[in-house]
Amino acid sequence: MNPPAGRAIAFALHGGAGVIDPGSFAATRRAACAAALRAIASRAVQALRDGAPSLDVVEQAVAELEDCEFFNAGRGAVLNGDGVAELDAAIMDGRDRAAGAVCAARRVRNPVRAARALLRDGAHVLLAGEGADRFAAAQGLPLVDPEWFVIADRRAQLDAARAEGRVTLDHDERWADARRVSGTVGAVALDRHGHLAAATSTGGMTNKAPGRVGDSPLVGAGTFADDDTCAVSATGHGEFYMRRVLAHDVHARMLYLDQDLHAATEEALAEVGRMGGTGGLVAVDHAGQVTLPFNSPGMYRAWLDRDGAVQVAIYRDPEPAPD
Ligand code: ASP
């Protein structure tokens, strides 16, 4: 279905939802996070304006977020109970629901690129652990030593989580050191050709059990795209998103109940909330609507607004644009 004239493209990304205490959030850190989100979203929007396919745009935006140490994906990802980054990522094409995903990967530098390579290959949808890393290497994607992903703030965050015997969301403010770290990443886009795509990438949750896989790489849970309805990338406590099949729930509400994007995302997220899950999502629909709901105190996010400007927000109100 083609988007209506005048609203030819749509884009949104997130850098994770969670408890982000404004009082303990250093102004310089906050500004740096906002600047990174704005720069990555602006490049994505320009690519869409230039006619790039949504699938390429979400892959590139998520790869850039993976490379940014602020976020819980790629370098700077959270650590599992063994102190190792195990990485999950997925990408989905709304044209034909082609999808690729990797989970518990330890060596591929950009998990979303491995997911995209798997989508392109077409034989499988999800590869785990060593198989995912081997596939990525065979595709010519760079592998790194597992230590390359580890940054000092995440070690400190893991120590704090271990001390209390807890598994925590990636930037839960209970941990003093979590003030310097942010969340899971994802992007959704509608391109000029009327095609939707979604991608998500994460290290999951701090102090998670080795081998634990979250919602992000699971088609229909944390990531989903279908040109007839919407593209969704979720962030939050993955166990709840898996049990609610959140991203597909948004799609199903639009398809079967004829709900609009706003109602479908609000109600699907409310179901997660009723189960006790916190987090949020970013979504765009086939008509170019954009929504970014969350039930946590904040969510790092950026989007193309109705006036054609890129907005960035962490709490309810947009962050100020640079002069
Ligand atoms: N959803 C991710 C997971 O559970 C974590 C997050 O979004 O913060 O793996």
Side-chain angles (χ1 to χ4, degrees), residues 169-217:
L169 270 180
D170 43 28
H171 48 267
D172 193 321
E173 57 88 34
R174 277 197 300 268
W175 318 117
D177 288 302
R179 294 170 195 167
R180 299 195 298 274
V181 292
S182 313
T184 289
V185 306
V188 290
L190 171 69
D191 65 28
R192 283 173 51 177
H193 319 287
H195 299 308
L196 291 163
T200 312
S201 183
T202 187
M205 295 178 75
T206 300
N207 201 28
K208 66 184 181 182
R212 178 266 188 186
V213 173
D215 60 305
S216 309

Side-chain angles (χ1 to χ4, degrees), residues 103-123:
C103 61
R106 293 178 169 209
R107 298 194 58 212
V108 59
R109 177 181 165 145
N110 285 109
V112 73
R113 298 222 189 274
R116 176 70 190 273
L118 193 61
L119 180 156
R120 203 180 290 118
D121 182 70

Side-chain angles (χ1 to χ4, degrees), residues 87-89 101-111 113-115 117-118 124-143 217:
L87 306 168
D88 299 342
V102 295
C103 61
R106 293 178 169 209
R107 298 194 58 212
V108 59
R109 177 181 165 145
N110 285 109
R113 298 222 189 274
L118 193 61
H124 303 301
V125 168
L126 175 62
L127 289 179
E130 196 198 333
D133 288 327
R134 275 171 47 190
F135 171 80
Q139 296 292 312
L141 294 170
L143 299 192

